[in-house]
Amino acid sequence: MLSSLIPASRIATPLPGQRTILHGGDYNPDQWLPDHPDILDQDARLMREAGINSISIGIFSWAALEPKPDVFTFDWLDRVFDAQQKLGNAVILATPTGAMPAWLAEKYPEARRVDRRGLRAAWRDRHNHCWTSPAYHDRAAIINAQLAHRYKGHPALKMWHISNELSGECFCELCRAKFADWLKARYGTLDHLNSHYWAGFWSKLATRWEHVEPTDYAIDAMMIDWNRFNRDQLIAWYRFEASILRPITPEIPITTNFMGTSWNIDYATIAGEVDVVCDDQYPAYDADSPHLFRAAAHNSMKNSLYRCFKTRGELAGKGKTTFFLMECCPGAVQWKTPQKLKRPGVHRLEMLQAIAAGADGVSYFQFRAGRGGHEKLHGAVVEHAIGLSPDLARQSRTFQGVAELSRLYTRLAPLLGTGVAPEVAIVHDWESRLAQRFSAGTGVSNERYDDVVVDHFEPFFARGIPVDVVSTGHDLSPYKLVILPQLWVMTPLLALKLRKYVESGGTLLATFDTGHTDESNRIHIPGAGDKTGAIPGCGLTELFGLWVEEVDRLAADVPRALKTLDPALGTLAGREVAALTHLTTARPLAEFADDFYAGRPALTVNTVGRGHAMYLATRLDAPSQVSLCNHLIDRAKLTTILPHPLPPGVTAQLRGAGNDAFLFLLNFSTSPQTVNLGTLTLTDLETSEPVTGATHLPPLASKVYRAN
Ligand code: GAL
């Protein structure tokens, strides 16, 4: 029965021919070798004991690899490669461009970034190079080519890791000139640019391309463009580094690590560049928090987004692969306050949550904690208390937790390369979030973008119904239900896609703040002959059968009473925002019940073709989101995996292909819970015991069952 609910086909794993879940970490032995020449042997022993099967090496090692210009010291790295090969481990080799050595910063000041005040940075920190600097390009090309030639053909080399968490902006003259070229390519003429920028505002009409000032918040469309430009700078840099490596090692996949849903880096676009999608995640779940389940839902929302980058629709790019959680922490994260230890069970929950969502690799920052430096108090597989002693590793809670996971992962091998096949998609759009952020006046709405996405994700997560989180470019046709939270930017092409989706039988739910602006963040307005308003834009007023007149934006959590008109919806309550709409063909399902807009629609439905377009004019509170989710399950006839509702704090996730179906039960609560599996008969992956009916989950437990 379980296997009938999952997709039949397999896709590629992060590493070609991968046979186990990747379980490894950033490894920095170069920081240890000068004082501890035997560190490689000690670590090999510990890696074997922990079941570590891959390492990411050399991420910030430029000074250790090229201590002086064109003087290369690869001997230590040779030894690491050979030691890893003996262990049978995969080496993920980084290019070291995420941090420049002193000689480079000194010899080529242009390589250092210039900040928004026009000041060239001192040699400090990391992730600090100018994107345009010819000298930095030259030096990166040299070290990358050296690395590629040296390790080409080494059996342990399995993947390239370009730089680290590519991010940031540079305001030097070279980058500004490149921005001017980027604008010319996008707009062609200054008249066109001025029109898109609404540049008559505060006399901002540009008469030379160089007049466009990337720090000028007055022109919101320009701020969005500056972010798009920086995304393209990042892509150009990635492509540049990859162009050095690819011809020398054509068979080795190339990637870089992303940072979740960072507001200013449009990973949905960048994902098309990399061979494997990798995320860095530090949720630092607080087991004692009343918001633990919400935090888990937030993380699963991100996992679903990362899964979909390369497994669904047009963004599949260079072929479909599962994703890789490149960095996370087995212990306490030093940059979180307070730095609370992970409670027993929490790390395992976090890892199985990622694997359930489609990850085929879960790795750490880092394998061994450093003794000094800014990150010395960051959790690691080998923490300070273990030092160099395998005996102490056997007594370490964190280390043993990692080792236990390794044993479980070997049993999970049949799910490698498999996916998840949801009937529901939520659209996550970086452009909309960015555009709202730069629209002074949308108040809290721009800060809570991801939160509103999670509002809609969480009730499905709590019902054990899988959800894809996709970009606007994805194909929506596989889904029975599509949700658009705050899809602020609307283009004619996207509107057409949404219309077709509904006409052919889909259920579409859009929230307040959908379709307010075009791609230059100009508000959609009605034309002279129009009889209705123009929001939601690009003709979507017709699809939703309503138009938005004005929006009441309230402080966080200010309630809005609602009256439900359809008894099947139960009781609903709104908060924070009220879009005041006029209905044309839509039917109200709920209305506002207080303030001057009592009686105005709060939730509506419009029947178009074979489908339904719904509009939610407020942010619902959590219990109301559950009621709405139940209504949507019925309306869109969604499949539920488990026959009975799940207890609070528990999610069920299904992953697999063909006859390899795995059910994950994850208890994100500190209370014991009982899940009713009904007549399903499964096998506990660890105990091999049969499981059916009422299944007991201790606090913070995570279980994996196999379909028989
Ligand atoms: C990541 C970064 C790592 C390390 C880690 C600490 O963002 O890529 O190098 O700094 O954070 O949590």
Side-chain angles (χ1 to χ4, degrees):
M1 177 179 175
L2 270 190
S3 42
S4 64
L5 299 175
I6 57 175
S9 59
R10 280 175 192 271
I11 54 176
T13 46
L15 302 186
Q18 190 184 319
R19 295 228 189 86
T20 50
I21 303 250
L22 290 172
H23 193 201
D26 285 21
Y27 184 42
N28 298 299
D30 45 313
Q31 294 168 14
W32 289 82
L33 280 163
D35 297 330
H36 300 276
D38 61 340
I39 196 77
L40 298 183
D41 295 337
Q42 305 295 350
D43 284 342
R45 214 167 294 154
L46 289 167
M47 282 180 188
R48 194 175 295 118
E49 191 144 338
I52 292 299
N53 58 32
S54 68
I55 57 149
S56 305
I57 183 90
I59 297 179
F60 296 111
S61 302
W62 203 335
L65 293 168
E66 192 180 2
K68 293 185 197 152
D70 303 310
V71 174
F72 300 99
T73 43
F74 289 129
D75 45 324
W76 67 269
L77 190 52
D78 294 348
R79 288 172 53 211
V80 176
F81 259 88
D82 295 344
Q84 294 301 313
Q85 190 197 345
K86 264 193 218 132
L87 288 171
N89 284 358
V91 172
I92 300 169
L93 180 57
T95 65
T97 55
M100 63 183 82
W103 60 260
L104 199 156
E106 195 169 63
K107 192 165 177 198
Y108 309 104
E110 64 159 68
R112 290 182 264 130
R113 278 184 195 166
V114 169
D115 69 16
R116 53 181 51 239
R117 295 162 304 166
L119 301 177
R120 175 89 57 194
W123 177 56
R124 60 184 297 277
D125 213 329
R126 62 174 173 175
H127 303 157
N128 49 9
H129 69 87
C130 164
W131 298 110
T132 314
S133 156
Y136 206 71
H137 277 82
D138 290 350
R139 294 311 322 185
I142 292 169
I143 185 72
N144 286 6
Q146 287 282 336
L147 282 168
H149 283 299
R150 181 110 186 163
Y151 299 104
K152 166 188 175 177
H154 195 293
L157 175 65
K158 299 292 182 206
M159 183 148 73
W160 286 106
H161 178 302
I162 288 194
S163 191
N164 191 65
E165 295 186 339
L166 295 167
S167 54
E169 51 193 1
C170 173
F171 294 86
C172 75
E173 289 311 314
L174 296 172
C175 286
R176 281 168 174 269
K178 220 168 147 194
F179 183 45
D181 289 344
W182 187 93
L183 292 170
K184 275 179 224 163
R186 184 174 173 92
Y187 296 103
T189 66
L190 282 168
D191 283 348
H192 197 212
L193 172 133
N194 284 326
S195 151
H196 274 262
Y197 280 9
W198 200 253
F201 179 74
W202 290 354
S203 258
K204 295 294 176 189
L205 291 166
T207 52
R208 285 197 301 119
W209 294 99
E210 291 70 24
H211 286 156
V212 178
E213 168 52 47
T215 62
D216 190 355
Y217 71 94
I219 300 293
D220 54 329
M222 188 286 299
M223 297 292 282
I224 297 167
D225 270 353
W226 174 250
N227 270 277
R228 290 177 179 140
F229 166 71
N230 275 308
R231 170 202 65 201
D232 291 351
Q233 289 275 75
L234 193 158
I235 290 176
W237 180 264
Y238 178 88
R239 284 186 183 165
F240 162 72
E241 287 212 44
S243 75
I244 309 295
L245 309 173
R246 188 85 73 192
I248 307 170
T249 55
E251 72 293 353
I252 302 293
I254 305 179
T255 191
T256 188
N257 45 349
F258 294 174
M259 293 180 280
T261 54
S262 273
W263 70 270
N264 59 349
I265 311 181
D266 177 358
Y267 286 125
T269 307
I270 302 167
E273 301 290 321
V274 295
D275 294 335
V276 176
V277 168
C278 299
D279 190 22
D280 292 351
Q281 258 183 30
Y282 295 91
Y285 290 135
D286 181 354
D288 305 318
S289 160
H291 307 298
L292 175 60
F293 190 74
R294 170 76 181 189
H298 200 131
N299 220 29
S300 270
M301 183 278 284
K302 289 196 232 177
N303 283 332
S304 302
L305 177 74
Y306 272 68
R307 174 183 72 236
C308 293
F309 281 152
K310 277 205 181 289
T311 55
R312 307 290 275 190
E314 294 117 68
L315 289 185
K318 297 174 177 154
K320 297 184 177 189
T321 59
T322 51
F323 77 99
F324 182 6
L325 181 50
M326 180 67 93
E327 278 183 33
C328 61
C329 181
V333 179
Q334 123 279 8
W335 46 269
K336 302 258 184 184
T337 310
Q339 196 190 356
K340 209 169 163 180
L341 293 180
K342 274 190 179 177
R343 267 41 188 175
V346 168
H347 180 60
R348 178 179 149 121
L349 263 172
E350 198 186 310
M351 297 300 91
L352 291 181
Q353 177 183 16
I355 293 170
D360 275 346
V362 277
S363 286
Y364 305 113
F365 178 85
Q366 54 183 332
F367 175 70
R368 173 183 281 286
R371 290 187 63 198
H374 179 67
E375 293 181 329
K376 66 176 179 295
L377 296 182
H378 199 285
V381 178
V382 180
E383 299 196 314
H384 300 129
I386 296 177
L388 307 178
S389 160
D391 283 340
L392 291 175
R394 277 172 215 127
Q395 297 172 54
S396 155
R397 186 175 73 95
T398 306
F399 187 94
Q400 289 307 320
V402 168
E404 179 199 307
L405 279 172
S406 293
R407 291 190 284 276
L408 172 58
Y409 292 164
T410 55
R411 297 174 177 230
L412 283 173
L415 61 63
L416 289 167
T418 66
V420 179
E423 297 171 330
V424 184
I426 299 182
V427 174
H428 182 281
D429 182 35
W430 260 275
E431 290 262 309
S432 286
R433 181 160 55 154
L434 208 53
Q436 273 200 321
R437 192 177 181 103
F438 292 124
S439 297
T442 52
V444 286
S445 61
N446 52 34
E447 298 299 337
R448 67 180 173 212
Y449 181 87
D450 271 13
D451 259 352
V452 175
V453 173
V454 179
D455 284 353
H456 289 272
F457 185 91
E458 185 180 353
F460 291 100
F461 186 61
R463 280 290 294 265
I465 296 179
V467 175
D468 272 351
V469 180
V470 300
S471 321
T472 52
H474 276 91
D475 175 15
L476 301 178
S477 61
Y479 305 105
K480 291 183 180 170
L481 171 69
V482 172
I483 301 176
L484 315 176
Q486 301 193 151
L487 190 61
W488 179 256
V489 177
M490 189 55 60
T491 61
L493 212 63
L494 179 55
L496 188 69
K497 174 148 90 176
L498 296 174
R499 166 172 279 285
K500 280 194 179 147
Y501 170 71
V502 176
E503 280 172 352
S504 44
T507 299
L508 184 68
L509 170 74
T511 75
F512 60 91
D513 281 352
T514 291
H516 280 242
T517 67
D518 69 6
E519 75 283 4
S520 295
N521 215 17
R522 293 172 301 187
I523 305 290
H524 291 298
I525 57 160
D530 286 346
K531 301 258 184 305
T532 72
I535 292 173
C538 304
L540 289 187
T541 48
E542 213 186 309
L543 181 66
F544 289 100
L546 55 73
W547 55 279
V548 177
E549 182 191 348
E550 48 184 346
V551 183
D552 197 19
R553 298 182 191 280
L554 307 157
D557 281 332
V558 171
R560 294 289 82 178
L562 303 180
K563 183 174 153 206
T564 316
L565 305 174
D566 179 340
L569 267 164
T571 317
L572 297 182
R575 56 181 164 143
E576 292 179 17
V577 61
L580 306 188
T581 59
H582 295 267
L583 302 192
T584 52
T585 53
R587 183 166 64 84
L589 297 174
E591 59 189 30
F592 289 103
D594 57 16
D595 220 317
F596 70 93
Y597 39 82
R600 298 286 284 270
L603 177 67
T604 63
V605 62
N606 196 34
T607 305
V608 177
R610 292 191 286 124
H612 303 284
M614 301 176 71
Y615 189 85
L616 176 63
T618 186
R619 184 175 183 195
L620 296 176
D621 68 8
S624 309
Q625 279 291 159
V626 174
S627 306
L628 176 63
C629 171
N630 291 337
H631 175 86
L632 294 169
I633 291 170
D634 290 345
R635 181 180 282 278
K637 300 187 177 54
L638 302 179
T639 316
T640 46
I641 299 174
L642 293 176
H644 302 284
L646 291 161
V650 174
T651 186
Q653 301 289 320
L654 185 63
R655 187 179 169 197
N659 291 325
D660 292 317
F662 292 84
L663 180 73
F664 294 71
L665 288 187
L666 310 173
N667 182 8
F668 289 99
S669 84
T670 45
S671 313
Q673 305 287 1
T674 302
V675 174
N676 190 344
L677 295 173
T679 54
L680 284 177
T681 309
L682 307 169
T683 304
D684 184 312
L685 199 64
E686 283 156 291
T687 63
S688 301
E689 296 288 324
V691 187
T692 188
T695 303
H696 182 65
L697 287 178
L700 301 172
S702 41
K703 299 270 189 189
V704 192
Y705 304 116
R706 207 183 158 142
N708 288 326

